[in-house]
Amino acid sequence: MKRVMLTVAYDGTNYHGWQLQPNVTTIESVLNGALSALLKQEIKVIGASRTDTGVHALGNIAVFDTQARMPAEKFAYALNQRLPEDIRIQDSREVPPCFHPRRQESRKTYEYKILNSAFPMPVCRLYAHFTYVPLDVVSMQKAAAYLVGEHDFKSFCSVNTTAETTVRTIYEATVEKCGDMITIRVTGSGFLYNMVRIIAGTLIEVGRGNRPPERMQDILRACDRAQAGPTAPACGLTLVKYVFLENGLQ
Amino acid sequence: MKRVMLTVAYDGTNYHGWQLQPNVTTIESVLNGALSALLKQEIKVIGASRTDTGVHALGNIAVFDTQARMPAEKFAYALNQRLPEDIRIQDSREVPPCFHPRRQESRKTYEYKILNSAFPMPVCRLYAHFTYVPLDVVSMQKAAAYLVGEHDFKSFCSVNTTAETTVRTIYEATVEKCGDMITIRVTGSGFLYNMVRIIAGTLIEVGRGNRPPERMQDILRACDRAQAGPTAPACGLTLVKYVFLENGLQ
């Protein structure tokens, strides 16, 4: 028996998110189906980040156990033959049997993209949120800086959360503009339900001038979802990087 | 009567190219339909570049004539209400009645994108050609440099061409790599049928080491399509910029 870790990239446009749910197609259900067909036995993966409907990933993580003789490295090739073209395994490797992607210490990086121009650009429409209201990037940068560190992010968490604690550590929160595209980049130890999209929605409010950057401190302190901005649309969000700290796996 | 110029951006994935054809959906047919419905009379646009099936554009050009009182600048807003989300007008303005987008002196810039990594990346699949064979970018850069200048590009033209002359001027031909993405960028006075895709296919051959960069000179001199590489897939190609020289329109 060995445990295999998969790095999974996907275009979330046509999926109801990562997590297995009845009657809808999810990344997890498609992965389980492809693995089960390949290995001719029922396989259920354990995923790392349960991304929402419409959210993309360059490298989400999943593990599964198998007695198959196939070398772990070959699973990427074999699975990609069976997966639809909007899901592609980027890497497959053996990990210790105790390796659990949600219990392992890790750093995840998300990017939220905003196209800020007079009109939407068709080739960006699936991967960036569009707004024609001019956003002040310098204010957004100042506001983002308040998020860095260990904080209670209850204000930036959907009220539907089941998390035991809403304290998380953010290592990096930056805002950059390149042409008409604004990229919010957030690296953390873990994220609450809808956390990056609520951060993006709040930074957009700051960028529009509706709130001063310093207000971020008050919003954090309030521990009240109603104090933060709206949840920004899913399509702008991409899980770009997943690094496990303990054994250097990434 | 006034002539209005539209800057048209589109995701070509779901279209049979620009040009009007019976029984298929093209960018031109959708534009004509939206304009005719808006103005309640039959409108036929004159397009600048007749991009192929699956090719994208950030700014192709079209003009039409109308007696409507609507200011030219408002057409972008009015049309975008009626167009599907994979076509978006970026700009609309009045031009002189004699302005014809294919007869006006202009510079067009195309980009051809190649994802060069072990596995395809789903979020890039619609806008970049994928190849896992490692490409030598330095060789591709050397080869591209031979294209700059006035040359007979008959070797880089589909044999189906109806062009009167196959002489064209290329002002810039560069190859850049950023992460796993290689971008070929070509600016010219005009392009023959399939020209940029044949250039891309030939540069890929050079990048694979199948031809030395200097071979580009022989290919140009041969004036024989069979000497160049294959026509690279349409999805990697985007018309990124269109500049009219005479009156500074762009």
Side-chain angles (χ1 to χ4, degrees):
Chain A
M1 184 72 89
K2 67 181 163 220
R3 179 157 280 201
V4 177
M5 180 177 90
L6 303 173
T7 302
V8 190
Y10 46 88
D11 178 332
T13 307
N14 296 318
Y15 295 93
H16 279 75
W18 175 275
Q19 200 172 4
L20 213 59
Q21 288 174 70
N23 306 323
V24 293
T25 306
T26 69
I27 309 294
E28 193 176 11
S29 70
V30 173
L31 265 184
N32 285 347
L35 270 167
S36 300
L38 176 69
L39 295 172
K40 298 185 176 63
Q41 61 171 130
E42 199 186 350
I43 302 279
K44 287 183 178 173
V45 300
I46 304 171
S49 283
R50 299 170 186 133
T51 56
D52 278 347
T53 298
V55 172
H56 317 290
L58 306 188
N60 203 345
I61 300 292
V63 300
F64 66 94
D65 297 320
T66 179
Q67 292 178 310
R69 282 191 208 156
M70 186 188 295
E73 292 69 27
K74 295 285 177 199
F75 275 95
Y77 297 90
L79 278 171
N80 283 340
Q81 298 287 335
R82 293 171 177 269
L83 288 167
E85 62 175 5
D86 51 6
I87 306 179
R88 278 289 172 274
I89 308 301
Q90 301 295 307
D91 183 80
S92 59
R93 60 178 69 185
E94 193 167 347
V95 287
C98 60
F99 181 92
H100 186 294
R102 290 200 297 278
R103 291 187 198 135
Q104 220 76 15
E105 215 188 329
S106 66
R107 292 194 182 185
K108 303 151 191 90
T109 301
Y110 279 93
E111 284 184 358
Y112 193 91
K113 291 195 177 283
I114 304 159
L115 180 68
N116 193 20
S117 54
F119 299 105
M121 184 55 78
V123 297
C124 301
R125 74 191 189 287
L126 303 175
Y127 311 112
H129 168 52
F130 168 76
T131 180
Y132 63 84
V133 181
L135 300 180
D136 177 352
V137 174
V138 173
S139 293
M140 294 171 76
Q141 288 167 335
K142 284 183 193 161
Y146 290 109
L147 299 168
V148 176
E150 189 183 80
H151 301 286
D152 188 333
F153 283 97
K154 199 172 177 191
S155 295
F156 294 92
C157 176
S158 165
V159 289
N160 301 322
T161 186
T162 55
E164 286 172 30
T165 165
T166 47
V167 174
R168 293 289 185 279
T169 300
I170 297 294
Y171 301 107
E172 186 196 30
T174 61
V175 183
E176 282 181 6
K177 188 164 188 181
C178 179
D180 292 330
M181 191 66 81
I182 297 171
T183 302
I184 300 166
R185 194 178 161 92
V186 188
T187 300
S189 58
F191 292 91
L192 298 160
Y193 186 49
N194 279 350
M195 182 167 151
V196 186
R197 288 169 58 190
I198 300 170
I199 288 174
T202 308
L203 291 178
I204 290 169
E205 290 278 290
V206 171
R208 293 171 75 133
N210 294 345
R211 298 162 192 239
E214 306 74 39
R215 183 73 57 80
M216 290 301 267
Q217 292 176 288
D218 308 324
I219 298 171
L220 277 167
R221 273 191 224 110
C223 287
D224 173 11
R225 170 68 187 90
Q227 298 300 309
T231 306
C235 71
L237 187 62
T238 303
L239 172 57
V240 297
K241 205 172 170 187
Y242 221 111
V243 181
F244 293 101
L245 301 179
E246 237 163 277
N247 39 17
L249 285 170
Q250 78 171 47
Chain B
M1 184 71 91
K2 66 183 164 215
R3 180 157 281 200
V4 178
M5 181 176 90
L6 303 173
T7 303
V8 190
Y10 46 88
D11 178 332
T13 307
N14 296 318
Y15 294 93
H16 279 76
W18 174 274
Q19 199 171 4
L20 213 59
Q21 287 176 69
N23 305 323
V24 294
T25 306
T26 69
I27 309 294
E28 194 176 9
S29 70
V30 173
L31 265 183
N32 286 346
L35 270 168
S36 301
L38 176 67
L39 295 172
K40 297 186 177 63
Q41 61 172 129
E42 200 186 350
I43 302 278
K44 286 183 178 173
V45 300
I46 305 171
S49 283
R50 299 171 185 133
T51 56
D52 277 348
T53 298
V55 172
H56 317 291
L58 306 189
N60 202 343
I61 300 293
V63 300
F64 67 95
D65 297 319
T66 179
Q67 292 178 309
R69 282 191 208 155
M70 186 188 295
E73 292 69 27
K74 295 286 177 198
F75 275 96
Y77 298 90
L79 278 171
N80 283 340
Q81 298 286 335
R82 293 172 176 270
L83 289 167
E85 64 177 4
D86 50 7
I87 306 180
R88 278 289 172 273
I89 308 301
Q90 300 295 305
D91 183 77
S92 58
R93 61 178 69 185
E94 193 169 346
V95 287
C98 60
F99 182 93
H100 186 296
R102 289 200 298 278
R103 292 184 199 139
Q104 220 75 17
E105 215 188 329
S106 66
R107 291 192 182 187
K108 304 151 190 91
T109 301
Y110 279 93
E111 283 184 0
Y112 194 92
K113 290 195 177 284
I114 304 158
L115 180 69
N116 194 20
S117 55
F119 299 105
M121 183 55 78
V123 297
C124 300
R125 76 190 189 287
L126 302 175
Y127 311 111
H129 168 53
F130 168 76
T131 179
Y132 62 85
V133 181
L135 300 180
D136 177 352
V137 173
V138 174
S139 293
M140 294 170 75
Q141 288 167 334
K142 283 182 194 160
Y146 290 109
L147 299 169
V148 176
E150 189 183 80
H151 300 287
D152 188 333
F153 283 97
K154 197 172 179 191
S155 295
F156 294 93
C157 177
S158 165
V159 289
N160 301 321
T161 187
T162 56
E164 286 172 29
T165 165
T166 47
V167 174
R168 293 291 185 276
T169 301
I170 297 294
Y171 300 106
E172 186 196 30
T174 61
V175 183
E176 283 183 4
K177 187 165 188 181
C178 179
D180 292 330
M181 191 65 81
I182 297 170
T183 302
I184 300 167
R185 191 177 163 92
V186 188
T187 300
S189 57
F191 292 93
L192 299 160
Y193 187 49
N194 278 350
M195 181 166 151
V196 185
R197 289 168 58 190
I198 299 170
I199 288 174
T202 309
L203 291 178
I204 290 169
E205 290 278 290
V206 171
R208 293 171 77 135
N210 293 346
R211 298 163 193 238
E214 305 76 41
R215 183 73 56 80
M216 289 300 265
Q217 293 175 285
D218 308 325
I219 299 172
L220 277 168
R221 271 192 226 112
C223 287
D224 172 11
R225 170 68 188 91
Q227 298 301 307
T231 306
C235 72
L237 187 62
T238 303
L239 171 57
V240 297
K241 206 173 170 186
Y242 221 111
V243 181
F244 293 100
L245 300 181
E246 238 163 277
N247 40 16
L249 286 170
Q250 78 169 49

